Amino acid sequence: MTRNLSLRNRQAILVILDMLLIILSYILAFAIRFDFQFTTEPGGTDAWFVFLNAMILIICVKLAAFFVMGLYRSLWRYASMQEMLQIILAVILANTATITLMTLTGRTLPRSVMVLVIVLDMALIGGMRFTYRLLRSTMQGNRLNFKRLFKRHLFVRNLMIVGAGEAAAAIIRELQGLHYRQGRPVALVDDDPAKQGQRLMGVPVLGPLRSMNSLAEERGIDEIIVAIPSASRREMRHIVEQATATGKKVRIIPGIYELLDGQVSVKDIRDVAIEDLLGREPVCVDLAAMAAYLENKVVLVTGGGGSIGSELCRQIASFNPKQLVMMDIYENHLYDLHQELKRTHPTIDLVPVISSVRDRPQLNRLFSHHKPQVVFHAAAHKHVPLMELTPEEAVKNNVLGTRNMAEYAHRFGAERFVMISTDKAVNPTSIMGASKRLAEMLVQSLDEISQTRFVSVRFGNVLGSSGSVVPLFQRQIAAGGPVNVTHEEMTRFFMTIPEASQLVIQAGALARGGEVFVLDMGEPVKIMDLAKNLIRLSGFAPGIEIPIQITGLRPGEKLFEELLLDSSGLEGTAHQKIFVEHPPASDWSMLNLQVQALYDKLHHLDANDIKDEVCRLVGTYKPRYYGLPEWEEEESGQENSGSNLSEKIHDS
């Protein structure tokens, strides 16, 4: 009852306001037509008295027309273009009826006045309703939020949409339905010549993609939306680089592989991520089919609090292990992960263990008590420059820690042991890379005599992992620069944390023993290009607003990384992006004795002596020594820098 009364009250107020506006329209029309001189203009006074005599009739006819056209049934807090069209039609109908009735009764007004009345009715009656909507939508309590008013209604963002296909049409349609509250598309670009010069949902297709920069300035573009979900990652990388070069904010419609139903909506638009600039398709792994070996098993993950280790734990927990033992030397990250998994997987038996892979007595207790059946060894020191300063720590953690883990997995009968390695283990120039190569050799040699399946998984840099280049660049950008790049020509292979974790899990499923699994990571990415793109994605101009500084190669760094020791022995697997390398195996007994001898004299050696000792064990290691000129990159490394695994397999 109260609601109906309130509705009637609002309708009554609208009727009264319309009456006043109708009268105001005629007053203004007469004032404009006769320049406010009714008594001196011929016919002015007579016409005015005609209106006064017919005023009640005019008001009644017009209000009746407004009722017929439904102006008093609309919710004007949601007034839109459709309601504006309704007002125009209502005003035309009302004035047509008024003119007809006055003509039939012999009362006429000047034609110029009637034309002005029609225009003024539209402006006043429509303007009153849209002003109501404007004020209501910007009220907070009883206070008018002028900042929101100007931002939403007076300064609507101008959008450019890349692509003039179905996805773009869906976005434009939805933006129109939202009354452009999220931006107004003013330009489309598309490389299809047949679409250029046409209009899509009223928005012009103004040119090809290469015209984005000039059009962005010409049309006052605030934001660019890439709406080509069918584009490959390589194509998307090229498009995004062109779009970010304009200096405008760039967002994208996710690819079809990200959209479950293939339909797009404004809510799907997301900011560009650095993964979009990898230039290759994401590696998709059918984990449900491949991870059955984890179900109802005791699984141990070392380095469980790290970037890769924690993601491994998250994914492993989804496959219903009997028990998940998460081991790390750092308590804070492990505590956070344990709390997260307790919340997301409350039925899983989670065991956090604070321990080091160097602590043999603690490892013995852990293996004897939990008897893990699957071991993922992710614990390692990975920072190249730091390990160059303290090579003994690289040997202790990466070599001896891996040997400890592998020995206990063998002794207690684990089914599988998967070690995470790195592309820096291939022809290493750093002690970190050499230590990981030596760890690969230990794992592979132990596989020769063990019932446990020992394998290694080798991949490049992981985007977003702790200590990786992307978070470092982001911090430098946030601080206003400079962004430090060690060399203009430096390239690296990149993958995402989920990709890396899925590869590790799949390697465990494919393991037969002794393999080194390698991911085809596509073309390497120039670090300079990565830095420039990150600066653009942050809304700055590289080299202008955020300077880029060339700092020179750091100790142990290479210009180009490799993924293979020798492509001639490379084999494919059930997954088209995963390959297997079979490096020649060492004798476990001999290698173990050599590693133990290295450990026994480790404390008596300086940094360069340690590198010499490791070099004797890892024949492909080319160490760099302090106080001597750094080695130049070999021609062979440069030749391999731009080729991917598929090309190497073909060449072999």
Side-chain angles (χ1 to χ4, degrees):
M1 179 70 179
T2 305
R3 183 177 178 179
N4 290 337
L5 182 61
S6 176
L7 177 61
R8 291 196 189 100
N9 286 341
R10 289 198 297 271
Q11 288 177 335
I13 292 171
L14 276 175
V15 170
I16 294 170
L17 288 174
D18 283 346
M19 290 172 58
L20 297 175
L21 292 175
I22 289 169
I23 296 171
L24 180 59
S25 292
Y26 280 93
I27 294 173
L28 291 175
F30 275 99
I32 295 170
R33 169 62 183 82
F34 295 107
D35 197 22
F36 297 92
Q37 301 295 323
F38 298 157
T39 57
T40 59
E41 280 284 335
T45 304
D46 293 341
W48 177 250
F49 281 114
V50 169
F51 164 69
L52 292 177
N53 290 332
M55 183 173 64
I56 302 299
L57 176 64
I58 291 171
I59 291 174
C60 291
V61 171
K62 288 194 173 184
L63 291 178
F66 292 167
F67 270 107
V68 170
M69 292 300 296
L71 293 195
Y72 303 112
R73 294 193 299 271
S74 295
L75 298 175
W76 287 102
R77 73 185 73 176
Y78 306 116
S80 67
M81 292 304 298
Q82 183 177 351
E83 280 72 27
M84 191 67 209
L85 180 61
Q86 187 180 17
I87 291 171
I88 292 172
L89 294 175
V91 168
I92 291 173
L93 174 63
N95 281 279
T96 301
T98 301
I99 293 170
T100 302
L101 190 59
M102 290 184 68
T103 300
L104 292 175
T105 57
R107 291 175 284 191
T108 59
L109 295 174
R111 287 190 296 272
S112 56
V113 170
M114 297 308 301
V115 171
L116 287 170
V117 165
I118 294 173
V119 174
L120 290 167
D121 277 349
M122 292 179 186
L124 294 175
I125 294 171
M128 182 267 293
R129 283 159 169 78
F130 276 83
T131 300
Y132 170 74
R133 176 217 172 180
L134 185 68
L135 295 175
R136 183 181 180 90
S137 66
T138 53
M139 289 293 289
Q140 291 183 340
N142 294 320
R143 182 171 58 86
L144 186 61
N145 186 339
F146 283 102
K147 183 177 180 180
R148 182 178 172 188
L149 168 71
F150 286 111
K151 183 177 180 181
R152 173 173 287 186
H153 298 286
L154 298 183
F155 298 117
V156 176
R157 291 174 299 148
N158 289 332
L159 307 179
M160 177 190 292
I161 299 179
V162 180
E166 293 182 5
I171 294 302
I172 295 171
R173 188 181 302 112
E174 192 164 351
L175 288 171
Q176 291 173 343
L178 294 170
H179 316 310
Y180 303 115
R181 288 195 297 272
Q182 296 190 21
R184 181 187 302 275
V186 298
L188 291 160
V189 291
D190 197 293
D191 282 339
D192 185 352
K195 294 178 179 178
Q196 294 167 18
Q198 305 296 314
R199 285 181 174 267
L200 179 67
M201 309 288 292
V203 182
V205 183
L206 296 178
L209 270 61
R210 65 175 180 273
S211 63
M212 272 192 281
N213 198 41
S214 58
L215 287 173
E217 293 301 321
E218 178 185 323
R219 299 281 169 156
I221 299 300
D222 300 300
E223 181 178 314
I224 297 174
I225 298 175
V226 181
I228 312 179
S230 61
S232 67
R233 273 292 177 92
R234 186 183 296 273
E235 293 169 333
M236 185 61 72
R237 174 184 177 180
H238 179 64
I239 294 169
V240 168
E241 286 177 346
Q242 284 184 288
T244 54
T246 65
K248 308 300 180 183
K249 179 177 176 60
V250 180
R251 294 194 295 161
I252 66 173
I253 297 293
I256 292 298
Y257 55 87
E258 295 179 76
L259 299 169
L260 296 179
D261 56 3
Q263 302 297 313
V264 297
S265 170
V266 168
K267 68 178 183 297
D268 297 316
I269 300 175
R270 62 170 173 79
D271 289 339
V272 176
I274 198 64
E275 292 91 330
D276 297 310
L277 301 172
L278 285 182
R280 62 170 173 81
E281 300 302 317
V283 176
C284 299
V285 175
D286 185 5
L287 286 183
M290 300 303 299
Y293 71 97
L294 298 172
E295 187 173 358
N296 203 32
K297 297 292 178 66
V298 178
V299 182
L300 167 63
V301 179
T302 69
S307 304
I308 301 297
S310 60
E311 181 64 20
L312 271 173
C313 290
R314 293 183 188 97
Q315 297 198 24
I316 291 167
S318 302
F319 297 106
N320 196 30
K322 179 180 179 181
Q323 186 179 69
L324 177 56
V325 183
M326 305 169 293
M327 175 180 159
D328 204 295
I329 190 62
Y330 303 108
E331 62 173 323
N332 292 338
H333 291 164
L334 190 61
Y335 173 81
D336 292 339
L337 177 66
H338 185 224
Q339 296 301 310
E340 174 192 333
L341 292 182
K342 280 202 304 183
R343 183 179 67 254
T344 58
H345 297 85
T347 61
I348 301 296
D349 182 10
L350 302 170
V351 181
V353 175
I354 303 298
S355 183
S356 169
V357 293
R358 304 180 187 184
D359 190 339
R360 290 180 66 87
Q362 176 71 357
L363 290 178
N364 185 65
R365 287 190 292 271
L366 187 151
F367 273 85
S368 62
H369 179 70
H370 294 286
K371 294 183 173 58
Q373 296 158 288
V374 181
V375 178
F376 293 98
H377 178 44
H381 286 325
K382 64 179 184 178
H383 293 286
V384 169
L386 290 181
M387 293 303 100
E388 289 296 300
L389 295 174
T390 54
E392 66 275 14
E393 293 303 311
V395 173
K396 289 178 185 177
N397 209 58
N398 296 355
V399 179
L400 297 167
T402 298
R403 186 191 67 170
N404 293 340
M405 291 298 303
E407 278 189 321
Y408 283 111
H410 164 65
R411 184 182 304 176
F412 287 92
E415 298 173 7
R416 303 166 198 252
F417 183 99
V418 182
M419 187 197 82
I420 295 177
S421 187
T422 170
D423 57 358
K424 294 173 178 60
V426 181
N427 299 321
T429 58
S430 67
I431 189 65
M432 193 284 284
S435 68
K436 293 299 285 184
R437 176 60 193 140
L438 189 50
E440 288 181 359
M441 293 164 60
L442 283 165
V443 167
Q444 187 183 19
S445 62
L446 186 54
D447 180 78
E448 296 288 314
I449 63 170
S450 178
Q451 296 298 311
T452 302
R453 298 179 184 179
F454 287 93
V455 297
S456 300
V457 184
R458 189 187 294 155
F459 44 73
N461 294 265
V462 179
L463 286 172
S465 63
S466 59
S468 65
V469 67
V470 171
L472 174 62
F473 282 173
Q474 289 172 331
R475 289 194 296 271
Q476 291 173 346
I477 293 168
V483 172
N484 295 326
V485 177
T486 56
H487 196 287
E488 289 184 351
E489 298 302 320
M490 176 174 282
T491 63
R492 289 293 182 266
F493 294 98
F494 284 99
M495 67 189 313
T496 64
I497 291 176
E499 282 180 322
S501 302
Q502 290 173 14
L503 172 64
V504 172
I505 293 175
Q506 176 131 23
L510 297 173
R512 296 296 176 264
E515 303 100 329
V516 175
F517 289 93
V518 183
L519 173 69
D520 182 356
M521 302 178 69
E523 299 291 340
V525 176
K526 264 193 173 184
I527 301 300
M528 177 62 77
D529 292 341
L530 184 70
K532 290 179 179 178
N533 284 323
L534 271 174
I535 292 171
R536 292 190 186 105
L537 290 178
S538 302
F540 301 104
I544 300 174
E545 296 173 292
I546 300 292
I548 298 176
Q549 180 174 300
I550 305 299
T551 59
L553 289 175
R554 298 177 298 176
E557 277 191 328
K558 294 197 293 184
L559 274 182
F560 312 107
E561 297 291 2
E562 305 163 81
L563 289 168
L564 299 172
L565 289 172
D566 179 12
S567 62
S568 61
L570 202 66
E571 297 177 3
T573 67
H575 194 286
Q576 63 178 355
K577 290 290 186 179
I578 300 176
F579 300 90
V580 178
E581 184 180 25
H582 293 279
S586 304
D587 178 75
W588 164 256
S589 299
M590 179 61 69
L591 185 59
N592 189 33
L593 286 174
Q594 291 171 327
V595 168
Q596 185 61 44
L598 172 61
Y599 176 68
D600 291 340
K601 59 184 177 182
L602 196 61
H603 300 86
H604 306 292
L605 302 175
D606 64 20
N608 288 339
D609 290 335
I610 293 172
K611 293 178 182 180
D612 284 337
E613 293 295 327
V614 173
C615 188
R616 293 187 182 96
L617 298 176
V618 182
T620 56
Y621 176 33
K622 299 178 179 64
R624 292 169 175 171
Y625 301 97
Y626 292 109
L628 297 176
E630 292 188 344
W631 290 26
E632 295 294 330
E633 295 299 323
E634 294 187 353
E635 290 299 319
S636 60
Q638 295 187 27
E639 289 171 1
N640 289 332
S641 65
S643 58
N644 59 29
L645 286 188
S646 301
E647 292 170 345
K648 290 184 178 182
I649 295 168
H650 178 74
D651 293 341
S652 66

